[in-house]
Amino acid sequence: MFTNSKLTKSIRLALVFGATALITPYSIAQEVASEAISEEESFEKIEVTGSRIKKLDLVTTRPVTFIDSDYLAERGITNAQSAVTDIPGVFAAASPEVGGNTAAASQGVGQRTINIFGLGSQRTLTLVNGNRFVSSNSPVGGSSSDGSQLDVSNIPVALIDRVEVVKVGGAAVYGADAVAGVVNYVLKKDYEGAEISVDNNFIGTDLGNDFSVRGLIGGNFDSGKGNAVIAVEYSKLDNILAKDVKTLSNNWSAFTPTAADAVLDADGERFAGQIRLYENTRAGILSFSGLLTPGDTAITNLGLGQWSDGNFYQVDPSGTGNLVPYDTGVPTGNAVWSAGGDGLDLGQTNTAQEGIERWNLTSMSTYAITDNINLNFLAFANSSEAKNPGYQAAQYNSGVFGGLAGALEFATDYPYLNDSARSEIEGLLGGPGNFYMHKGWTDLGQREVINESNVFSFKFGFDGDFEVADEFWTWELNYQKGWSSVYSQSSSVNELRFVTAMDVGVNPDTNQIDCRYNYEDEYGEQYRPEGFGLTADDNPLGGADACSPLNPFGEITDAARDYVLYNSIGKTRIEQEIFNGYLSGTVMSLPGGDLGVATGFEHRKESASFADDASSSFIGTTANSLSGGYDTTDAYVEVYVPLVSSDMDIPFLDSLSIETSFRSMDNSRSGSDKAWALGVNFRPLEDVMIRGNVQRTVRAPAVSELFLPVVEISSFATDPCDARNRESGPNPAIRQANCDAEGIPADFASIAQNASRRGFQGGNQELGNEQSKSKNIGVIYSPSWAEGLQFAADYVEIDITNAIVSFTLTDIMEACYDGVDFPNSFCGNFTRLDDNQLPTNNAFTSGFVNAALRSFRAIEYTASYSSDIKDIPFVGDILGEVGSFDIALRAFNLKKNATSNTGFDFSDNTGQYNNPDWRSDLRIRHSLGDFTTLLDIEYSGEGARNVEQTNDLQYIDQFGNAYKTIESRTLVNLSLNYAVTEGTVVRARITNLLDWEPSERENAIGRFTYGQSVNVGFTTKF
């Protein structure tokens, strides 16, 4: 225990950089707010994230935001992710709220990860009590970028004491991956008592529920030597389908306009890259009931698939099996997409929110073995089941796709074709013949993904303190073991059985329509494995009479679904083992304070594996099982040097301190490396502090980046040589010249923008560490003449080199056509056919490399004020005793966010709608007696539609008006808390109080809302 007469000042300054805590005043601030604190009182030194050295104040050389348990409770926050994503500049990476997705993470459904500054969740290190936690991010099919990210759903909300968010680095103290910053969840210590909390959020009022019940019990034992705490949580988040969300089902999209819809410039010319807003867009390449055509191609906007009478027809969606007209909708200028009509509507098959049911059990205990040695134990046992009920139809067949996804050919004597449809088709064909079906098989099912996840982790260790030469030292020694598993089931179509079930005739034994496989003796024998005189007993098509006929023109039976569909299964297992320790204390007392030192070590093993069920062989794609790992041995040292203190009474030098840290890392895969940091805190005056920090950090390659086998993947592409994209890119003139040099016509329309292509991707065991250099400088002003008022500003700069990247198909093509050295090596990584289109299969090859660059600049501002209203000048005189008032404004001003995957193609979307210049929030809290009211306002600034826009008429709304920007967005949330008794609080919160909805322009770039949501809950403490 230590004394310091300047602690009150230090705490006041600390609260500035932890402005979040000012909304629900941080517990330490409450302890020191009274003027009655004596200079002789003693206070325990505090360890803050970013340093292992315990100091009397909370001030660090980097911006830190504190969030305490009251902040969570008063807002009814029920997951650890939402505790930090309110902070401007901190984003959700993986989240169950997927907003109408067209794909699903097969091994990551329902997970939650954090992304500081938008630099990638793999560059944010998330800790629990200052220690790493085993990841749940699968190396194959994970929900986040490749890395060892923590799924923060595993952290019990009831047990959170506070969250500390340190922006800018942290690798020198915590090791690799802390590039953008560190999020540390600090759990309650020595808890005594019991409490239960229940919350239910009525999402969009009636779309679904987010239910949570949390219990906490703890107490001392053995005359206070020990303390044990158990936390139990259950939560259930409902699935929400995109078609049930107003702002997702009634969607707007932007496509090339028709000649009639185009807007011409003053010279009567049309910009080739112009796109216009269209409502309820549909792809005219199929229908959910089955678009029927005389040929094998259907693109209704181009007239392909018309019958001899000039019309389009489909199978009756009501199930009669008859032919009915197919509504083509209103064509756009895009070859595939129309406004309205009966074409493919992705919104009808997508998920807006993944459902998850979770149990978390956490046990924590401490025991004082002696006065100076403690035993600590922390264990987690968590289980969950998450579900994405569908992100596309189970099967698509269309003439624009290849292989077994192409158009289905039928003869007019096909048994399931009813007499009415047969007569009409033969009339259109001029007699018996063949025709084609293009269908999205929603009646067969959707591509559902279910994940069963389990996480187990335990840590036990010893900590203590001792004195040497009257100087105080603390130490820790810990062993930690954790493992997580994800068992996934994804509904898939067995393509061999799919075509077999439709290959039907009339069974002579039953006189009923049946699979030919069931009654023709030699049918399917070519699929039975044989060789070397051996013949397998089993046929992939099943045993005798196994096939159940599938009617493509009518109702599909459950038996047919069971025969055609199967669950593809995958299993992930991730293991982590850590042995670490540190020693921290005071070396000597300097005139400016205690010279602090911390040194420590960490040996860590990480391994991950993914095993599939080899079902990929059914469709001829590559198996993607992998297994790999690495270990790292690190050592670090920190030094805190207080050079000047206020007690020395030096004019214009109230205090000055330096912090420095160094870490050496020896990774078995990426080799040896180092991280370091140097920071300074300088107070020219008692009310003003200037802080700065420079550091070098690293990120080690993830298991998937190292060991992923060469696997087959699907990808769309924004083709640089498409007419819509020729005038884009870092240098449009170079792009156009390179496309011309390859002989691609100026009016070329790439099918890869609307139909995915298949290619290959693999890992790279030669990857090295990403390197990062960062710095921050800030000023804090806490005027002594206005107690409770604080201002702060921090400039942040991060540059990443050798960033690990796996080029997408678009990246590869852009690197080819935007290069000044065309044709370069990237041009050989994809293939074009004679018509310049990419082939359906074997279209590209990609892999992980250390090649990318990132350059980030931002300024953060905070302003806060906390006071009893009666003490506010003038206002207090009028209002008198009407409670306390807290207000905090946080603003994040993005200056630069540039990316290059190749080193020559830097792009910076700063100021664009998805990276606006400004994000901010305003949080107001009023407490009066048993009532507490909170008003939270979140703002995302106006942004350019495209920062690389080259023509004023590039973007046109539905009325023909040109626009360049996407409007700002302001969301208002209101919370009310009432203390019914001393131990019971009831609460209610309305999210989106003003019922904001996106405009058509916003909807077209993916903004949506569930509408107003209402959360009600209570907490009872015993």
Side-chain angles (χ1 to χ4, degrees):
M1 308 295 284
F2 298 81
T3 61
N4 188 335
S5 60
K6 298 297 182 180
L7 179 59
T8 303
K9 174 185 65 180
S10 298
I11 295 296
R12 185 170 68 247
L13 288 172
L15 286 172
V16 182
F17 66 75
T20 305
L22 294 172
I23 307 304
T24 56
Y26 190 49
S27 58
I28 295 177
Q30 293 173 332
E31 293 173 12
V32 301
S34 172
E35 296 179 1
I37 293 179
S38 168
E39 293 187 7
E40 300 302 320
E41 273 192 89
S42 62
F43 294 88
E44 187 173 350
K45 285 191 173 183
I46 302 164
E47 180 183 316
V48 178
T49 301
S51 175
R52 297 289 190 189
I53 299 175
K54 296 185 177 182
K55 301 187 289 291
L56 277 168
D57 58 35
L58 299 176
V59 178
T60 75
T61 60
R62 284 168 288 173
V64 182
T65 300
F66 293 87
I67 302 163
D68 69 1
S69 57
D70 289 340
Y71 181 95
L72 309 182
E74 290 178 347
R75 289 165 174 78
I77 291 175
T78 59
N79 69 81
Q81 184 184 63
S82 297
V84 298
T85 51
D86 289 340
I87 303 171
V90 180
F91 307 96
S95 170
E97 186 176 284
V98 291
N101 64 323
T102 56
S106 61
Q107 293 279 302
V109 175
Q111 293 186 6
R112 300 179 185 269
T113 57
I114 299 168
N115 182 2
I116 294 178
F117 293 144
L119 294 178
S121 59
Q122 73 273 34
R123 300 184 182 98
T124 295
L125 181 59
T126 304
L127 307 173
V128 178
N129 281 351
N131 290 279
R132 293 174 184 258
F133 193 94
V134 64
S135 173
S136 299
N137 188 38
S138 174
V140 175
S143 58
S144 298
S145 302
D146 297 285
S148 300
Q149 296 90 315
L150 163 62
D151 175 8
V152 296
S153 300
N154 289 296
I155 300 173
V157 175
L159 202 52
I160 295 175
D161 180 61
R162 66 183 186 275
V163 189
E164 300 170 357
V165 181
V166 182
K167 298 177 180 177
V168 195
V173 178
Y174 297 108
D177 305 339
V179 175
V182 177
V183 179
N184 185 20
Y185 291 87
V186 181
L187 305 183
K188 295 174 180 176
K189 187 177 181 181
D190 296 331
Y191 177 84
E192 293 183 75
E195 65 181 71
I196 184 170
S197 299
V198 178
D199 285 273
N200 191 74
N201 186 23
F202 299 91
I203 302 171
T205 305
D206 59 358
L207 291 174
N209 296 300
D210 182 2
F211 175 76
S212 172
V213 57
R214 308 173 297 284
L216 188 63
I217 185 169
N220 295 332
F221 60 91
D222 195 9
S223 302
K225 290 183 179 181
N227 179 269
V229 182
I230 295 177
V232 180
E233 295 191 357
Y234 169 79
S235 61
K236 186 175 186 298
L237 180 67
D238 288 342
N239 284 121
I240 297 178
L241 302 179
K243 65 182 180 180
D244 296 330
V245 180
K246 175 183 175 183
T247 53
L248 289 174
S249 61
N250 185 26
N251 69 304
W252 289 80
S253 302
F255 290 107
T256 302
T258 61
D261 287 341
V263 177
L264 307 181
D265 62 19
D267 297 325
E269 298 293 329
R270 171 179 173 176
F271 174 58
Q274 186 176 103
I275 58 175
R276 179 173 178 141
L277 296 186
Y278 289 94
E279 187 177 15
N280 292 327
T281 49
R282 309 285 187 263
I285 58 175
L286 53 78
S287 77
F288 288 137
S289 61
L291 171 63
L292 304 183
T293 62
D296 62 0
T297 303
I299 304 178
T300 60
N301 281 0
L302 303 181
L304 299 177
Q306 284 181 322
W307 289 86
S308 55
D309 62 356
N311 295 318
F312 291 91
Y313 294 96
Q314 64 177 331
V315 179
D316 186 356
S318 68
T320 65
N322 296 331
L323 261 64
V324 296
Y326 172 92
D327 182 359
T328 61
V330 179
T332 70
N334 181 281
V336 170
W337 293 92
S338 298
D342 294 325
L344 170 62
D345 179 8
L346 291 175
Q348 292 299 307
T349 61
N350 294 343
T351 294
Q353 178 173 279
E354 296 168 339
I356 181 168
E357 188 171 14
R358 172 179 292 277
W359 282 95
N360 286 357
L361 174 64
T362 307
S363 174
M364 184 167 60
S365 60
T366 62
Y367 186 79
I369 300 174
T370 70
D371 290 342
N372 302 102
I373 300 176
N374 303 309
L375 171 66
N376 298 289
F377 179 78
L378 176 61
F380 298 82
N382 303 332
S383 180
S384 65
E385 181 176 301
K387 180 179 179 181
N388 185 311
Y391 60 93
Q392 290 203 41
Q395 170 75 14
Y396 288 111
N397 287 100
S398 171
V400 302
F401 302 140
L404 287 177
L408 297 166
E409 184 178 7
F410 296 94
T412 53
D413 63 354
Y414 185 71
Y416 274 128
L417 192 66
N418 68 26
D419 292 339
S420 173
R422 179 179 298 107
S423 174
E424 192 165 352
I425 292 173
E426 289 183 347
L428 293 167
L429 289 174
N434 293 349
F435 62 97
Y436 294 83
M437 172 182 279
H438 313 259
K439 182 173 180 177
W441 294 78
T442 52
D443 51 355
L444 186 58
Q446 294 184 202
R447 301 180 190 181
E448 179 182 72
V449 179
I450 299 175
N451 284 176
E452 298 174 21
S453 302
N454 292 284
V455 174
F456 300 94
S457 176
F458 69 88
K459 179 175 76 74
F460 71 86
F462 300 90
D463 69 75
D465 57 70
F466 60 90
E467 289 189 20
V468 175
D470 295 327
E471 300 295 353
F472 189 79
W473 291 79
T474 61
W475 59 272
E476 279 191 18
L477 196 63
N478 301 299
Y479 174 78
Q480 182 173 319
K481 175 74 173 178
W483 59 98
S484 65
S485 63
V486 180
Y487 177 82
S488 69
Q489 302 179 68
S490 304
S491 59
S492 303
V493 173
N494 183 321
E495 293 181 335
L496 182 58
R497 291 189 172 194
F498 175 64
V499 295
T500 299
M502 287 189 294
D503 190 4
V504 297
V506 177
N507 189 326
D509 295 331
T510 64
N511 205 33
Q512 299 293 319
I513 297 176
D514 197 359
C515 303
R516 291 174 53 217
Y517 172 66
N518 290 340
Y519 62 86
E520 292 186 5
D521 291 339
E522 298 301 317
Y523 190 102
E525 284 303 306
Q526 67 271 30
Y527 305 121
R528 189 186 300 273
E530 63 179 349
F532 301 98
L534 303 176
T535 302
D537 293 332
D538 298 323
N539 189 309
L541 297 179
D545 298 323
C547 178
S548 181
L550 188 154
N551 182 359
F553 296 92
E555 182 179 356
I556 297 176
T557 65
D558 290 340
R561 289 191 189 91
D562 292 342
Y563 180 71
V564 168
L565 299 178
Y566 70 96
N567 280 335
S568 60
I569 296 171
K571 185 168 184 178
T572 293
R573 183 175 176 88
I574 300 173
E575 296 187 10
Q576 180 187 73
E577 187 174 22
I578 300 174
F579 180 51
N580 63 21
Y582 76 89
L583 176 67
S584 175
T586 300
V587 175
M588 66 177 71
S589 294
L590 301 176
D594 292 337
L595 174 63
V597 173
T599 184
F601 73 93
E602 179 175 275
H603 180 73
R604 177 165 52 94
K605 292 183 178 180
E606 301 272 1
S607 65
S609 63
F610 172 78
D612 67 11
D613 58 4
S615 59
S616 53
S617 62
F618 292 166
I619 56 175
T621 58
T622 310
N624 55 3
S625 296
L626 71 80
S627 179
Y630 62 87
D631 62 82
T632 179
T633 301
D634 301 0
Y636 63 90
V637 63
E638 295 182 69
V639 180
Y640 169 70
V641 185
L643 299 174
V644 178
S645 73
S646 57
D647 295 331
M648 299 169 68
D649 295 324
I650 300 176
F652 303 107
L653 185 51
D654 187 74
S655 68
L656 176 65
S657 63
I658 294 174
E659 295 181 11
T660 184
S661 53
F662 176 86
R663 189 181 190 101
S664 66
M665 296 163 281
D666 186 9
N667 187 295
S668 61
R669 287 292 174 180
S670 57
S672 299
D673 216 324
K674 59 184 179 295
W676 57 264
L678 176 65
V680 61
N681 278 325
F682 165 54
R683 289 194 187 120
L685 303 170
E686 179 180 349
D687 295 351
V688 178
M689 186 181 79
I690 299 171
R691 63 182 171 200
N693 187 283
V694 294
Q695 55 189 312
R696 179 184 185 273
T697 59
V698 300
R699 182 181 84 85
V703 170
S704 54
E705 294 166 331
L706 291 165
F707 299 105
L708 183 71
V710 176
V711 297
E712 194 168 8
I713 61 173
S714 295
S715 177
F716 293 91
T718 301
D719 192 328
C721 295
D722 186 289
R724 293 159 288 184
N725 307 318
R726 275 179 162 248
E727 296 187 34
S728 300
N731 191 325
I734 290 177
R735 175 178 289 191
Q736 292 180 57
N738 291 338
C739 292
D740 291 341
E742 193 165 333
I744 300 175
D747 61 351
F748 173 65
S750 175
I751 195 66
Q753 301 211 164
N754 299 305
S756 63
R757 310 287 94 174
R758 298 193 70 85
F760 295 89
Q761 179 189 63
N764 180 0
Q765 296 188 36
E766 301 302 317
L767 289 173
N769 289 333
E770 295 184 351
Q771 308 291 327
S772 171
K773 293 182 179 179
S774 59
K775 62 184 178 183
N776 62 272
I777 185 169
V779 59
I780 302 170
Y781 178 50
S782 180
S784 54
W785 50 265
E787 185 175 354
L789 179 64
Q790 300 98 11
F791 302 94
D794 285 277
Y795 170 77
V796 174
E797 183 175 301
I798 302 174
D799 289 310
I800 304 172
T801 58
N802 290 325
I804 299 169
V805 60
S806 177
F807 292 132
T808 66
L809 177 53
T810 296
D811 289 335
I812 295 170
M813 299 184 76
E814 289 180 345
C816 169
Y817 294 107
D818 291 336
V820 295
D821 56 346
F822 177 87
N824 52 46
S825 60
F826 294 101
C827 302
N829 289 338
F830 64 93
T831 302
R832 288 192 187 273
L833 302 174
D834 291 341
D835 60 358
N836 297 310
Q837 299 290 353
L838 299 180
T840 302
N841 298 304
N842 302 317
F844 62 96
T845 301
S846 180
F848 292 97
V849 291
N850 288 104
L853 305 174
R854 296 291 301 267
S855 186
F856 176 86
R857 308 286 186 270
I859 303 176
E860 293 190 322
Y861 302 91
T862 63
S864 59
Y865 182 65
S866 178
S867 177
D868 288 337
I869 294 178
K870 65 181 179 60
D871 295 330
I872 301 176
F874 306 112
V875 176
D877 296 335
I878 298 173
L879 299 179
E881 298 270 1
V882 287
S884 62
F885 172 78
D886 306 280
I887 183 170
L889 172 67
R890 301 177 296 195
F892 178 76
N893 181 205
L894 182 63
K895 294 295 186 180
K896 183 181 182 181
N897 190 11
T899 302
S900 171
N901 285 342
T902 62
F904 63 79
D905 62 340
F906 262 106
S907 61
D908 186 355
N909 63 358
T910 299
Q912 194 165 281
Y913 66 87
N914 53 345
N915 253 330
D917 293 329
W918 288 95
R919 298 178 192 266
S920 62
D921 70 346
L922 177 66
R923 305 198 177 271
I924 302 171
R925 181 181 187 270
H926 176 251
S927 182
L928 176 62
D930 296 329
F931 287 93
T932 300
T933 304
L934 302 102
L935 184 67
D936 298 337
I937 303 173
E938 301 172 1
Y939 171 80
S940 180
E942 180 183 83
R945 175 59 179 83
N946 181 353
V947 293
E948 296 182 351
Q949 182 171 343
T950 58
N951 188 288
D952 290 343
L953 297 178
Q954 185 169 355
Y955 298 97
I956 306 297
D957 68 15
Q958 68 273 30
F959 303 112
N961 301 312
Y963 67 95
K964 294 183 177 181
T965 60
I966 300 296
E967 51 264 56
S968 63
R969 176 177 57 183
T970 301
L971 299 177
V972 180
N973 307 317
L974 177 67
S975 299
L976 301 174
N977 288 256
Y978 175 64
V980 180
T981 66
E982 183 177 352
T984 301
V985 175
V986 296
R987 56 183 165 268
R989 180 173 176 84
I990 303 175
T991 303
N992 194 10
L993 178 68
L994 303 183
D995 204 16
W996 170 87
E997 286 190 358
S999 67
E1000 292 85 353
R1001 297 179 188 181
E1002 293 175 283
N1003 188 274
I1005 51 95
R1007 288 184 183 172
F1008 77 101
T1009 178
Y1010 295 129
Q1012 282 187 347
S1013 297
V1014 179
N1015 183 89
V1016 293
F1018 70 88
T1019 296
T1020 296
K1021 298 181 179 181
F1022 306 96

